[in-house]
Every structure is written in C-alpha cells, then in structure tokens.
Amino acid sequence: MSEQKKVLVVGVGSIGERHLRCFQKTGRVGLSLCEVNPKLRDRISSHYGIDSAFDNLEAALADSPDAVVIATPAQLHISMAMQAAEAGSHVLIEKPLSISTEGVQELIDKIAEKGLVGAVAYVLHCYPALIQARDAIRSGRFGDPVEIVVDCGQNFPTYRPAYREIYYNNHATGGGAVQDAMTHMLNAGEWLVGPIDRLVADFDHKVLEGVEVEDTVHIITRQGNVMGCYTLNQYQHKNQSDIKIVCTEGVVVIDMIDNCWRWVKEIEEPWHVEKCEPAERDDHFIAQANIFLDMVEGKTSNWNPIEDGLQTLRCNLAILKSVEENCWQTIER
C-alpha cells in the first residue's frame, strides 16, 4: 500500500469543501486546508477533523504538502498555483483555469522544470457515460464526427441558492454562465471531438435575480471538420445536460443527468441505451481525486493537463470577446 500523500486544499467554500471531502474519502491522503475566512475555516476543519488549518498560503506551503488543490476564486488560481509549484507541490486547479492567459505558460514551464503534475478539475472527464461514449466514437464505430450539439440547463435558485453572494456574480472572479458552467461543456466537447478553432457567441441576463452577469449562453463553433452548437441556461425548471454527436455512420447522445448514453446506426432501428451504474455527484469527484493521486504517484499521466485547460480558457475569453465585438473569434494556439 502506498504511503499517504499530504494534500492541501486552498479555499474551502462550496467546491473546496467538496474537494476536501472527496479527497478524504479516497483514504489515500492526509489533509490540511487554507482558508482566510475564520468562521469557515473553523467550521470545515472541525466538521472533517482537519488538524492543520492555515489562514495564509505561505504558512500552509511551509508544511510541505505533496499536492495542492486550488479552489479559490479564479483570478487567484495562477499566482497560487505558481507558489505551490515553486514550493515543489503538484497542483490540481479548479475550473476555470483563470480569467486571463497571463502567467499560464510560465506556470506550465515551472511545473515541467520541477517535474511536477499539473491538472485542471474538469470533472466531467470522470462521468462514465461520457467516457464510454467517447471511447466508442474514438474507435471509429460510428464513422467520423461531423456535428456536436450540447443543450444544458439548471435552476440556480434551487441548486445553488448562494449564487448572488459567491464568485458567480462577477466576471472578474470567474463568474457568469460562460466561466461557471459553459466552460465544463466546452471542455467536454473538445475532449469528445477535438479543439475549437473558431466561434461566435451570444449571451444575456434573462431571469436570475440579484446578479447582472449572463445566465443564458448560445455558441456556434467550428472544431476541425465538426460543426458545433452549445446552449446553456441557469434557471430552467428541470436539470438537463445532453450532448449529441452526429457521425457519418450513426448518432450518439450522452445524457449526463441520467448517466447513460444511447446510439443508433440504422435509420429505422430503435435507440440502443447503454446505462451506467447509478452514481452520486461526489462519486465523480472521488474518481477525480483518485486519478490525480495516481498521477502524483506516477501510475498514470496526461489527465486534464493545464495545457488543455489553457485551450478551454482561450475559448471562454473568445466567447466574452465575441459578444463584446459581435463577431466570430479565432482561437489562437
């Protein structure tokens, strides 16, 4: 059995608490946390039995963690990850990678120089339905992908009632529907059918009370030979997250909510439904934690690397710029 790794979670708000809880559930780590809010720091450390709770990153890094999970607002991700890398710690960075590309290449270079692992927490890569469908598409079983259509919605007042008070209410902290949720779908779409080369977008604030950022997004993409369409809202009355990939020899539809995927290859045949094992939301984050720890231990590699997170970040920024300038944007790589 491998020796337990020391993992530091920086920022223990909603997603940081989930990371801490799910790393703890792997049974493979000794945990510490860093949180500037004293009430939150005390509550989380007490609830999860964390003995080492720090109020600043310098002191937390002086404890020599093997790995650091960055779960602070997005504008802090790169500087904090750089501090961790300079201290010799592997890094897992919550999405989006940042709110600009500034400093990202320097972080990538530092991680390579130190021989460390760096990854971005796009957790959809751990959803079995998406994994199975991707493997089937990549095998050539359905021919070549030519179209991807993504259609998503969720009721924020029900599922994330604190949206007004957290990072979500400001683009500068990684907020708005583009950087908060659409970034997951863009990253998944690129993982399925290849990187986005250019896009044009529209978004608006339609329903959510108490914020001014966009809650509705429509995007058209070109991804090599694949045409794409991505839509998302954050107020509809039923969770939905569907990804359809039309190929030259069949159609695949991934249902992220029901954790299944279906396919057809003949025009008149019924849908073939491939059901995955039922899973709670934490299960995907536990799987993500285990994969990251496997990378740290040298058992696997190249899972959600920072380079891929940078590509998705460029797409996020291109969407914002497309709406500002009302025109197509090319993704520079």
Side-chain angles (χ1 to χ4, degrees):
M1 185 175 180
S2 301
E3 181 181 351
Q4 284 200 332
K5 297 296 182 182
K6 293 174 63 176
V7 173
L8 166 69
V9 178
V10 184
V12 290
S14 177
I15 190 61
E17 179 181 359
R18 187 179 293 276
H19 280 300
L20 186 143
R21 178 172 68 244
C22 292
F23 268 89
Q24 190 173 64
K25 287 181 178 179
T26 68
R28 300 170 61 181
V29 301
L31 285 164
S32 59
L33 65 85
C34 179
E35 171 58 53
V36 296
N37 182 321
K39 290 183 179 179
L40 180 59
R41 182 174 66 247
D42 291 345
R43 179 176 67 81
I44 296 297
S45 59
S46 175
H47 182 76
Y48 293 98
I50 307 300
D51 294 328
S52 299
F54 301 92
D55 63 3
N56 68 89
L57 184 57
E58 291 75 14
L61 291 174
D63 193 43
S64 301
D66 297 297
V68 177
V69 180
I70 308 292
T72 53
Q75 77 275 14
L76 303 174
H77 287 177
I78 299 304
S79 61
M80 287 184 163
M82 180 64 85
Q83 283 183 263
E86 288 175 339
S89 299
H90 307 282
V91 290
L92 175 64
I93 306 170
E94 183 50 44
K95 63 79 200 167
L97 178 60
S98 187
I99 59 168
S100 79
T101 59
E102 184 178 354
V104 177
Q105 188 58 54
E106 288 80 0
L107 175 61
I108 291 170
D109 293 343
K110 178 63 67 174
I111 287 170
E113 173 194 326
K114 294 271 192 174
L116 300 169
V117 166
V120 184
Y122 280 109
V123 73
L124 294 189
H125 290 235
C126 294
Y127 278 59
L130 193 148
I131 295 168
Q132 291 178 22
R134 179 180 185 268
D135 288 346
I137 293 165
R138 290 297 180 95
S139 75
R141 174 176 159 190
F142 302 103
D144 296 326
V146 293
E147 183 186 27
I148 180 169
V149 178
V150 178
D151 187 14
C152 302
Q154 183 184 64
N155 190 266
F156 254 38
T158 298
Y159 295 102
R160 295 176 67 183
Y163 69 88
R164 300 173 188 86
E165 288 77 42
I166 59 173
Y167 69 89
Y168 178 82
N169 66 10
N170 193 329
H171 280 161
T173 54
V178 171
Q179 298 180 109
D180 175 71
M182 181 58 86
T183 189
H184 272 299
M185 308 318 298
L186 295 170
N187 182 269
E190 293 193 306
W191 196 51
L192 286 163
V193 300
I196 294 172
D197 302 305
R198 57 193 180 99
L199 60 79
V200 65
D202 189 19
F203 62 61
D204 200 357
H205 174 264
K206 289 295 186 183
V207 174
L208 290 183
E209 297 180 355
V211 297
E212 297 180 359
V213 290
E214 76 281 355
D215 58 13
T216 310
V217 187
H218 292 184
I219 306 165
I220 297 172
T221 67
R222 283 293 186 133
Q223 299 175 232
N225 190 47
V226 178
M227 296 179 68
C229 177
Y230 296 72
T231 69
L232 179 144
N233 74 75
Q234 297 184 301
Y235 47 80
Q236 73 179 42
H237 284 74
K238 186 71 173 177
N239 268 1
Q240 178 187 4
S241 187
D242 299 329
I243 304 174
K244 177 174 72 174
I245 302 98
V246 181
C247 302
T248 54
E249 299 174 23
V251 182
V252 171
V253 177
I254 307 164
D255 186 333
M256 305 294 289
I257 303 301
D258 287 340
N259 200 23
C260 68
W261 62 287
R262 56 188 186 273
W263 57 272
V264 292
K265 293 195 67 173
E266 303 295 336
I267 294 173
E268 298 297 332
E269 72 177 335
W271 285 100
H272 301 269
V273 180
E274 308 287 349
K275 294 185 177 181
C276 302
E277 289 293 323
E280 299 296 330
R281 189 156 181 253
D282 269 5
D283 293 340
H284 308 305
F285 286 85
I286 295 168
Q288 178 177 249
N290 274 311
I291 292 171
F292 179 68
L293 292 171
D294 285 346
M295 286 201 298
V296 168
E297 295 175 2
K299 298 175 182 176
T300 188
S301 62
N302 208 37
W303 180 87
N304 275 359
I306 291 177
E307 289 84 348
D308 288 0
L310 174 57
Q311 161 64 16
T312 306
L313 170 59
R314 288 178 175 137
C315 293
N316 296 347
L317 298 174
I319 293 166
L320 300 178
K321 191 172 182 181
S322 176
V323 173
E324 178 184 351
E325 298 182 351
N326 194 30
C327 64
W328 282 85
Q329 299 292 322
T330 298
I331 311 302
E332 302 293 344
R333 291 193 282 274

PDB file of all heavy atoms in Angstrom, residues 289-313:
ATOM      1  N   ALA A 289     -10.253  12.691  -7.708  1.00  0.00           N
ATOM      2  CA  ALA A 289      -9.189  12.722  -6.707  1.00  0.00           C
ATOM      3  C   ALA A 289      -8.263  11.523  -6.854  1.00  0.00           C
ATOM      4  O   ALA A 289      -7.033  11.655  -6.777  1.00  0.00           O
ATOM      5  CB  ALA A 289      -9.799  12.756  -5.298  1.00  0.00           C
ATOM      6  N   ASN A 290      -8.834  10.361  -7.083  1.00  0.00           N
ATOM      7  CA  ASN A 290      -8.014   9.152  -7.239  1.00  0.00           C
ATOM      8  C   ASN A 290      -7.139   9.214  -8.487  1.00  0.00           C
ATOM      9  O   ASN A 290      -5.970   8.808  -8.460  1.00  0.00           O
ATOM     10  CB  ASN A 290      -8.907   7.912  -7.282  1.00  0.00           C
ATOM     11  CG  ASN A 290      -9.243   7.386  -5.896  1.00  0.00           C
ATOM     12  OD1 ASN A 290      -8.356   7.208  -5.062  1.00  0.00           O
ATOM     13  ND2 ASN A 290     -10.510   7.146  -5.638  1.00  0.00           N
ATOM     14  N   ILE A 291      -7.690   9.741  -9.588  1.00  0.00           N
ATOM     15  CA  ILE A 291      -6.890   9.872 -10.807  1.00  0.00           C
ATOM     16  C   ILE A 291      -5.738  10.846 -10.581  1.00  0.00           C
ATOM     17  O   ILE A 291      -4.593  10.589 -10.989  1.00  0.00           O
ATOM     18  CB  ILE A 291      -7.770  10.336 -11.986  1.00  0.00           C
ATOM     19  CG1 ILE A 291      -8.755   9.238 -12.376  1.00  0.00           C
ATOM     20  CG2 ILE A 291      -6.899  10.710 -13.191  1.00  0.00           C
ATOM     21  CD1 ILE A 291      -9.806   9.680 -13.377  1.00  0.00           C
ATOM     22  N   PHE A 292      -6.021  11.958  -9.938  1.00  0.00           N
ATOM     23  CA  PHE A 292      -4.961  12.930  -9.660  1.00  0.00           C
ATOM     24  C   PHE A 292      -3.882  12.311  -8.774  1.00  0.00           C
ATOM     25  O   PHE A 292      -2.681  12.480  -9.033  1.00  0.00           O
ATOM     26  CB  PHE A 292      -5.551  14.169  -9.002  1.00  0.00           C
ATOM     27  CG  PHE A 292      -4.520  15.212  -8.657  1.00  0.00           C
ATOM     28  CD1 PHE A 292      -3.845  15.901  -9.655  1.00  0.00           C
ATOM     29  CD2 PHE A 292      -4.218  15.495  -7.332  1.00  0.00           C
ATOM     30  CE1 PHE A 292      -2.889  16.862  -9.340  1.00  0.00           C
ATOM     31  CE2 PHE A 292      -3.271  16.457  -7.007  1.00  0.00           C
ATOM     32  CZ  PHE A 292      -2.602  17.141  -8.010  1.00  0.00           C
ATOM     33  N   LEU A 293      -4.285  11.575  -7.742  1.00  0.00           N
ATOM     34  CA  LEU A 293      -3.306  10.919  -6.881  1.00  0.00           C
ATOM     35  C   LEU A 293      -2.508   9.868  -7.645  1.00  0.00           C
ATOM     36  O   LEU A 293      -1.306   9.692  -7.402  1.00  0.00           O
ATOM     37  CB  LEU A 293      -4.007  10.295  -5.675  1.00  0.00           C
ATOM     38  CG  LEU A 293      -4.608  11.305  -4.679  1.00  0.00           C
ATOM     39  CD1 LEU A 293      -5.475  10.581  -3.652  1.00  0.00           C
ATOM     40  CD2 LEU A 293      -3.516  12.112  -3.982  1.00  0.00           C
ATOM     41  N   ASP A 294      -3.156   9.168  -8.566  1.00  0.00           N
ATOM     42  CA  ASP A 294      -2.425   8.213  -9.414  1.00  0.00           C
ATOM     43  C   ASP A 294      -1.362   8.939 -10.233  1.00  0.00           C
ATOM     44  O   ASP A 294      -0.247   8.425 -10.409  1.00  0.00           O
ATOM     45  CB  ASP A 294      -3.394   7.492 -10.352  1.00  0.00           C
ATOM     46  CG  ASP A 294      -4.229   6.428  -9.654  1.00  0.00           C
ATOM     47  OD1 ASP A 294      -3.888   6.053  -8.513  1.00  0.00           O
ATOM     48  OD2 ASP A 294      -5.219   5.968 -10.257  1.00  0.00           O
ATOM     49  N   MET A 295      -1.681  10.121 -10.726  1.00  0.00           N
ATOM     50  CA  MET A 295      -0.681  10.902 -11.474  1.00  0.00           C
ATOM     51  C   MET A 295       0.475  11.307 -10.567  1.00  0.00           C
ATOM     52  O   MET A 295       1.647  11.223 -10.952  1.00  0.00           O
ATOM     53  CB  MET A 295      -1.328  12.131 -12.092  1.00  0.00           C
ATOM     54  CG  MET A 295      -2.203  11.846 -13.284  1.00  0.00           C
ATOM     55  SD  MET A 295      -2.436  13.314 -14.329  1.00  0.00           S
ATOM     56  CE  MET A 295      -3.245  14.421 -13.187  1.00  0.00           C
ATOM     57  N   VAL A 296       0.140  11.766  -9.378  1.00  0.00           N
ATOM     58  CA  VAL A 296       1.177  12.156  -8.421  1.00  0.00           C
ATOM     59  C   VAL A 296       2.107  10.978  -8.119  1.00  0.00           C
ATOM     60  O   VAL A 296       3.326  11.148  -7.976  1.00  0.00           O
ATOM     61  CB  VAL A 296       0.528  12.685  -7.132  1.00  0.00           C
ATOM     62  CG1 VAL A 296       1.556  12.826  -6.010  1.00  0.00           C
ATOM     63  CG2 VAL A 296      -0.164  14.034  -7.392  1.00  0.00           C
ATOM     64  N   GLU A 297       1.535   9.776  -8.059  1.00  0.00           N
ATOM     65  CA  GLU A 297       2.319   8.575  -7.770  1.00  0.00           C
ATOM     66  C   GLU A 297       2.933   7.953  -9.013  1.00  0.00           C
ATOM     67  O   GLU A 297       3.563   6.893  -8.938  1.00  0.00           O
ATOM     68  CB  GLU A 297       1.437   7.555  -7.050  1.00  0.00           C
ATOM     69  CG  GLU A 297       0.979   8.024  -5.672  1.00  0.00           C
ATOM     70  CD  GLU A 297       0.010   7.053  -5.001  1.00  0.00           C
ATOM     71  OE1 GLU A 297      -0.271   5.984  -5.600  1.00  0.00           O
ATOM     72  OE2 GLU A 297      -0.472   7.361  -3.895  1.00  0.00           O
ATOM     73  N   GLY A 298       2.748   8.572 -10.183  1.00  0.00           N
ATOM     74  CA  GLY A 298       3.357   8.080 -11.420  1.00  0.00           C
ATOM     75  C   GLY A 298       2.660   6.894 -12.032  1.00  0.00           C
ATOM     76  O   GLY A 298       3.228   6.220 -12.903  1.00  0.00           O
ATOM     77  N   LYS A 299       1.421   6.630 -11.639  1.00  0.00           N
ATOM     78  CA  LYS A 299       0.686   5.471 -12.156  1.00  0.00           C
ATOM     79  C   LYS A 299      -0.050   5.765 -13.455  1.00  0.00           C
ATOM     80  O   LYS A 299      -0.426   4.858 -14.186  1.00  0.00           O
ATOM     81  CB  LYS A 299      -0.313   4.970 -11.110  1.00  0.00           C
ATOM     82  CG  LYS A 299       0.336   4.484  -9.820  1.00  0.00           C
ATOM     83  CD  LYS A 299      -0.720   4.119  -8.783  1.00  0.00           C
ATOM     84  CE  LYS A 299      -0.089   3.679  -7.476  1.00  0.00           C
ATOM     85  NZ  LYS A 299      -1.122   3.413  -6.434  1.00  0.00           N
ATOM     86  N   THR A 300      -0.318   7.031 -13.731  1.00  0.00           N
ATOM     87  CA  THR A 300      -0.956   7.452 -14.978  1.00  0.00           C
ATOM     88  C   THR A 300      -0.490   8.865 -15.282  1.00  0.00           C
ATOM     89  O   THR A 300       0.159   9.505 -14.457  1.00  0.00           O
ATOM     90  CB  THR A 300      -2.500   7.403 -14.862  1.00  0.00           C
ATOM     91  OG1 THR A 300      -3.075   7.632 -16.149  1.00  0.00           O
ATOM     92  CG2 THR A 300      -3.023   8.448 -13.878  1.00  0.00           C
ATOM     93  N   SER A 301      -0.801   9.338 -16.464  1.00  0.00           N
ATOM     94  CA  SER A 301      -0.318  10.670 -16.847  1.00  0.00           C
ATOM     95  C   SER A 301      -1.291  11.333 -17.812  1.00  0.00           C
ATOM     96  O   SER A 301      -2.213  10.710 -18.333  1.00  0.00           O
ATOM     97  CB  SER A 301       1.069  10.568 -17.505  1.00  0.00           C
ATOM     98  OG  SER A 301       0.982   9.794 -18.701  1.00  0.00           O
ATOM     99  N   ASN A 302      -1.083  12.643 -18.016  1.00  0.00           N
ATOM    100  CA  ASN A 302      -1.763  13.403 -19.063  1.00  0.00           C
ATOM    101  C   ASN A 302      -3.282  13.434 -18.918  1.00  0.00           C
ATOM    102  O   ASN A 302      -4.008  13.432 -19.901  1.00  0.00           O
ATOM    103  CB  ASN A 302      -1.390  12.855 -20.448  1.00  0.00           C
ATOM    104  CG  ASN A 302      -1.484  13.940 -21.519  1.00  0.00           C
ATOM    105  OD1 ASN A 302      -1.147  15.076 -21.250  1.00  0.00           O
ATOM    106  ND2 ASN A 302      -1.942  13.582 -22.695  1.00  0.00           N
ATOM    107  N   TRP A 303      -3.787  13.480 -17.691  1.00  0.00           N
ATOM    108  CA  TRP A 303      -5.222  13.616 -17.463  1.00  0.00           C
ATOM    109  C   TRP A 303      -5.531  15.080 -17.195  1.00  0.00           C
ATOM    110  O   TRP A 303      -5.013  15.674 -16.255  1.00  0.00           O
ATOM    111  CB  TRP A 303      -5.652  12.749 -16.272  1.00  0.00           C
ATOM    112  CG  TRP A 303      -7.117  12.830 -15.976  1.00  0.00           C
ATOM    113  CD1 TRP A 303      -8.111  12.080 -16.529  1.00  0.00           C
ATOM    114  CD2 TRP A 303      -7.765  13.714 -15.050  1.00  0.00           C
ATOM    115  NE1 TRP A 303      -9.329  12.446 -16.024  1.00  0.00           N
ATOM    116  CE2 TRP A 303      -9.153  13.459 -15.113  1.00  0.00           C
ATOM    117  CE3 TRP A 303      -7.314  14.719 -14.196  1.00  0.00           C
ATOM    118  CZ2 TRP A 303     -10.089  14.151 -14.336  1.00  0.00           C
ATOM    119  CZ3 TRP A 303      -8.239  15.426 -13.434  1.00  0.00           C
ATOM    120  CH2 TRP A 303      -9.603  15.128 -13.498  1.00  0.00           C
ATOM    121  N   ASN A 304      -6.365  15.676 -18.050  1.00  0.00           N
ATOM    122  CA  ASN A 304      -6.753  17.082 -17.886  1.00  0.00           C
ATOM    123  C   ASN A 304      -5.553  17.998 -17.629  1.00  0.00           C
ATOM    124  O   ASN A 304      -5.545  18.772 -16.654  1.00  0.00           O
ATOM    125  CB  ASN A 304      -7.746  17.222 -16.731  1.00  0.00           C
ATOM    126  CG  ASN A 304      -9.180  16.965 -17.161  1.00  0.00           C
ATOM    127  OD1 ASN A 304      -9.450  16.706 -18.327  1.00  0.00           O
ATOM    128  ND2 ASN A 304     -10.095  17.039 -16.225  1.00  0.00           N
ATOM    129  N   PRO A 305      -4.527  17.945 -18.477  1.00  0.00           N
ATOM    130  CA  PRO A 305      -3.341  18.779 -18.223  1.00  0.00           C
ATOM    131  C   PRO A 305      -3.668  20.264 -18.317  1.00  0.00           C
ATOM    132  O   PRO A 305      -4.667  20.666 -18.925  1.00  0.00           O
ATOM    133  CB  PRO A 305      -2.376  18.350 -19.340  1.00  0.00           C
ATOM    134  CG  PRO A 305      -3.272  17.863 -20.432  1.00  0.00           C
ATOM    135  CD  PRO A 305      -4.427  17.195 -19.742  1.00  0.00           C
ATOM    136  N   ILE A 306      -2.820  21.074 -17.740  1.00  0.00           N
ATOM    137  CA  ILE A 306      -3.034  22.514 -17.747  1.00  0.00           C
ATOM    138  C   ILE A 306      -3.077  23.050 -19.176  1.00  0.00           C
ATOM    139  O   ILE A 306      -3.806  24.004 -19.473  1.00  0.00           O
ATOM    140  CB  ILE A 306      -1.970  23.211 -16.902  1.00  0.00           C
ATOM    141  CG1 ILE A 306      -2.185  22.866 -15.417  1.00  0.00           C
ATOM    142  CG2 ILE A 306      -2.010  24.733 -17.087  1.00  0.00           C
ATOM    143  CD1 ILE A 306      -1.158  23.432 -14.478  1.00  0.00           C
ATOM    144  N   GLU A 307      -2.337  22.434 -20.092  1.00  0.00           N
ATOM    145  CA  GLU A 307      -2.378  22.864 -21.487  1.00  0.00           C
ATOM    146  C   GLU A 307      -3.801  22.786 -22.049  1.00  0.00           C
ATOM    147  O   GLU A 307      -4.237  23.679 -22.795  1.00  0.00           O
ATOM    148  CB  GLU A 307      -1.438  22.006 -22.339  1.00  0.00           C
ATOM    149  CG  GLU A 307       0.032  22.252 -22.097  1.00  0.00           C
ATOM    150  CD  GLU A 307       0.600  21.466 -20.918  1.00  0.00           C
ATOM    151  OE1 GLU A 307      -0.186  20.888 -20.136  1.00  0.00           O
ATOM    152  OE2 GLU A 307       1.838  21.433 -20.773  1.00  0.00           O
ATOM    153  N   ASP A 308      -4.547  21.723 -21.710  1.00  0.00           N
ATOM    154  CA  ASP A 308      -5.938  21.602 -22.175  1.00  0.00           C
ATOM    155  C   ASP A 308      -6.822  22.638 -21.490  1.00  0.00           C
ATOM    156  O   ASP A 308      -7.751  23.188 -22.095  1.00  0.00           O
ATOM    157  CB  ASP A 308      -6.473  20.196 -21.902  1.00  0.00           C
ATOM    158  CG  ASP A 308      -5.860  19.147 -22.814  1.00  0.00           C
ATOM    159  OD1 ASP A 308      -5.011  19.509 -23.656  1.00  0.00           O
ATOM    160  OD2 ASP A 308      -6.227  17.967 -22.691  1.00  0.00           O
ATOM    161  N   GLY A 309      -6.546  22.895 -20.210  1.00  0.00           N
ATOM    162  CA  GLY A 309      -7.281  23.932 -19.504  1.00  0.00           C
ATOM    163  C   GLY A 309      -7.039  25.303 -20.109  1.00  0.00           C
ATOM    164  O   GLY A 309      -7.942  26.154 -20.147  1.00  0.00           O
ATOM    165  N   LEU A 310      -5.825  25.530 -20.607  1.00  0.00           N
ATOM    166  CA  LEU A 310      -5.500  26.783 -21.276  1.00  0.00           C
ATOM    167  C   LEU A 310      -6.295  26.925 -22.571  1.00  0.00           C
ATOM    168  O   LEU A 310      -6.804  28.013 -22.887  1.00  0.00           O
ATOM    169  CB  LEU A 310      -3.998  26.852 -21.550  1.00  0.00           C
ATOM    170  CG  LEU A 310      -3.497  28.047 -22.368  1.00  0.00           C
ATOM    171  CD1 LEU A 310      -3.873  29.371 -21.714  1.00  0.00           C
ATOM    172  CD2 LEU A 310      -1.979  27.949 -22.576  1.00  0.00           C
ATOM    173  N   GLN A 311      -6.430  25.837 -23.321  1.00  0.00           N
ATOM    174  CA  GLN A 311      -7.231  25.875 -24.547  1.00  0.00           C
ATOM    175  C   GLN A 311      -8.683  26.254 -24.232  1.00  0.00           C
ATOM    176  O   GLN A 311      -9.281  27.106 -24.898  1.00  0.00           O
ATOM    177  CB  GLN A 311      -7.178  24.510 -25.250  1.00  0.00           C
ATOM    178  CG  GLN A 311      -8.282  24.245 -26.256  1.00  0.00           C
ATOM    179  CD  GLN A 311      -8.271  25.163 -27.466  1.00  0.00           C
ATOM    180  OE1 GLN A 311      -7.280  25.839 -27.740  1.00  0.00           O
ATOM    181  NE2 GLN A 311      -9.382  25.195 -28.205  1.00  0.00           N
ATOM    182  N   THR A 312      -9.260  25.650 -23.183  1.00  0.00           N
ATOM    183  CA  THR A 312     -10.634  25.985 -22.811  1.00  0.00           C
ATOM    184  C   THR A 312     -10.733  27.415 -22.290  1.00  0.00           C
ATOM    185  O   THR A 312     -11.717  28.116 -22.555  1.00  0.00           O
ATOM    186  CB  THR A 312     -11.158  24.987 -21.758  1.00  0.00           C
ATOM    187  OG1 THR A 312     -11.000  23.647 -22.244  1.00  0.00           O
ATOM    188  CG2 THR A 312     -12.628  25.227 -21.472  1.00  0.00           C
ATOM    189  N   LEU A 313      -9.722  27.868 -21.566  1.00  0.00           N
ATOM    190  CA  LEU A 313      -9.691  29.260 -21.111  1.00  0.00           C
ATOM    191  C   LEU A 313      -9.721  30.210 -22.303  1.00  0.00           C
ATOM    192  O   LEU A 313     -10.436  31.226 -22.293  1.00  0.00           O
ATOM    193  CB  LEU A 313      -8.437  29.503 -20.266  1.00  0.00           C
ATOM    194  CG  LEU A 313      -8.116  30.960 -19.903  1.00  0.00           C
ATOM    195  CD1 LEU A 313      -9.262  31.594 -19.113  1.00  0.00           C
ATOM    196  CD2 LEU A 313      -6.810  31.028 -19.116  1.00  0.00           C
TER     197      LEU A 313
END
